[in-house]
Amino acid sequence: MKLTLSGRRVSIEPLVWLGIGVAAFAAVFAGVPSSTATALQTPRFWPAAAAIIMIIAGLIISLSALRHRQQPAPEAGGQPFSSAQESHELDSEVLRKHNHLLLIVIIAGYVAVLPYLGYVVATLVMAWVLAWTIGVRKVLSATLASITYVALTTVIFGVLMNVPLPRGRGPFVDISAFFF
Amino acid sequence: MELLSSVAEGFSALLSLENLLILFLATLVGLLGGVIPGVSGPMMVVVFLPITYAFEPTQAFILLTVIYAASVYGGMVTAILFRAPGTPESSMTVLDGYAMAQKGQAGRALGVGILASGTGAIIATLAMILLTPPLAALAMNFSSAEFFAIALLGLSIVASLSSGQVSKGIFGVGFGMLLATIGNDPMTATQRMTFDVADLGAGLELIPVMIGLFAIPEVLRRSRLDTKIKFNTAYGKVEVWSRRNLRSVGPTMGRSGVIGTGIGILPGAGAVTAAILGYTQAVRFSRDKSQFGKGDPRGVAGPESANNAGAVGSLVPLFALGIPGSATTAILIGAFILHGFQPGPNLMTTQSTFVYTIFAAILVANILALIFAKPLIRVLINVLNIPYALLGPAIVIFCIIGSYSLRNSVFDVWVMLLFGIIGYILMKYNFPVGTIVLGFVLGPIAESSFRRALMMSGGDVTVFFTRPISLTIILIAVAILVYPLLKPLALQVLKPKASTGLDA
């Protein structure tokens, strides 16, 4: 997260943590009613303490970023295969830059229609679309995989574990009733 | 004598067809989870947790703890063959394991890894059986003040979960604690931060939050990558029980197993630290150090024995005191609470058969892994070539159904998706998400104990500092927390003095 400030690129990431901490503190005061109990025993004390921990940690992050701004970036050392290094290496293989956003939209769309279409139909469609989006390019493979996943999860959760999976509305209730 | 009869009870409870089947499947699933890069131990435990809703508690925890133990076991396979550790605990194995593979000794490296992993884990399991009961017995006399101190000690392990980013880790703990306070106040039933959203009345459930933070971000990240990469899976003959292996790495794996167990038991150290120490001790005790880093089998045996021992060892504070030693054990605490158990000293006395059955299951799973890992390696490696495009949707479906089936609520699925997005953003900034789970799990325990202790002392805050055990634990917690923050400052202060000394 970088901003151009007076011709210099400045990272605002450290400030974001502090901002989230302050917002959390505000949310505690807005969302927890005050009480007449002793300060340490009020319902507000513990969430406020958590928000203060976030603010202090945010401050430390911001101050240490400010201190290191003039210093050259430290060499990658210490642990031989840090997660940052690994993540960087893997990200160099990125093929579909915005695919994660597409996935989020697909899952969000699925959750939105789940109560209407029911588990079987909605999951069948989502599994197929997800497989295609992530990289399956054979219609038969994507179809067989989605049918297998839906069948397995319906049997395990809907039949064996008696989880009341969403049955949908209107004609979809009959389709769901056919399976569980 | 009492210990022996409890262990015997545990083994006899384990010996049912259902339990053994679950144990075998969990070993296989854990090994698979360890082998596939991008499918970590915590992710496997989280994804399989929903299946346990319908299980008996004993079976549920056989499944979850064995998956956890076996996933550390499997992590070395890709570390040796492809220089890509399947789990963070295997990162030290890369140094000599991959070098051996480069020299055409991949089969031997895998064999040494299997032998050392099994040995380390078995040493740690035996230590766990011996050490957990006395530790729990000691904790039986604790009051709310001590339990608050223990929860604080648990929260102080944040440094070890932070991968060097301690400030972000502390932020994560605060964030987790804050999230856990949403919903009803445990003492007064006041609604906290629900903002008139009815679904928030009972608070956020741990499972959707954990699934969102651990499983979804990895699927989102992998969806952007080339999913058709094929691995070269040729590795030659795997050599496990050979005289050559036993002679060359026997002492190393025994020593590293003991070191790893000790490190795992310490709150805040964890299996990754154990692996690093296991490797450095293997180097230190060797007469010929020249081959380390170039393909020395002891460089595989040291970290593999230590990391498996560390993973099992971290279960000791979980069972005896109810505090986690790693992200996965924090998830396991969440699972215990979900099934109506509070891990800690009371569990050892009230549910001793349950606890010893889990101990027996871990021991048997490690023996099974030691025996079957060699024939299973071929199957496990072939799984690597299943395209992620087919695995990804399966993981997402399990995540969705796991979040939904907890309360049969679509709202929880939205929560999972929201935390999946948050987790993905945090992953981009190398944020240690395990610390959020730590705060979420231990925050409510700390709050209840804190407020109960204050109520019993009539609001006198010195109750935490006048009881010797509570004071000692609080001081240890503060030392663990402050040390990584002060270490760089201390080094900075000492550095100029040292250089002046040299100049003079």
Side-chain angles (χ1 to χ4, degrees), chain A residues 28-48:
Chain A
V28 170
F29 271 78
V32 187
S34 58
S35 152
T36 51
T38 330
L40 294 176
Q41 288 168 290
T42 59
R44 198 183 263 175
F45 172 74
W46 200 258

Side-chain angles (χ1 to χ4, degrees), chain B residues 44-127:
Chain B
M44 290 303 272
V45 173
V46 159
V47 167
F48 276 83
L49 181 54
I51 292 180
T52 68
Y53 298 163
F55 281 23
E56 289 284 316
T58 310
Q59 294 171 343
F61 287 98
I62 289 174
L63 185 85
L64 297 175
T65 50
V66 170
I67 286 179
Y68 164 59
S71 69
V72 183
Y73 212 109
M76 53 124 184
V77 176
T78 47
I80 290 168
L81 293 180
F82 316 122
R83 205 167 174 258
T87 55
E89 291 87 349
S90 308
S91 47
M92 291 306 287
T93 311
V94 169
L95 297 175
D96 281 277
Y98 186 66
M100 283 179 78
Q102 292 288 87
K103 290 193 320 197
Q105 299 173 3
R108 186 166 179 226
L110 287 170
V112 168
I114 292 169
L115 192 62
S117 299
T119 310
I122 290 168
I123 290 172
T125 312
L126 294 174

Side-chain angles (χ1 to χ4, degrees), chain B residues 215-236:
Chain B
I216 295 293
E218 193 56 36
V219 178
L220 295 179
R221 186 181 73 78
R222 301 268 300 214
S223 74
R224 303 168 72 219
L225 310 179
D226 184 1
T227 54
K228 287 178 187 152
I229 295 170
K230 286 270 176 190
F231 290 104
N232 177 13
T233 54
Y235 53 85

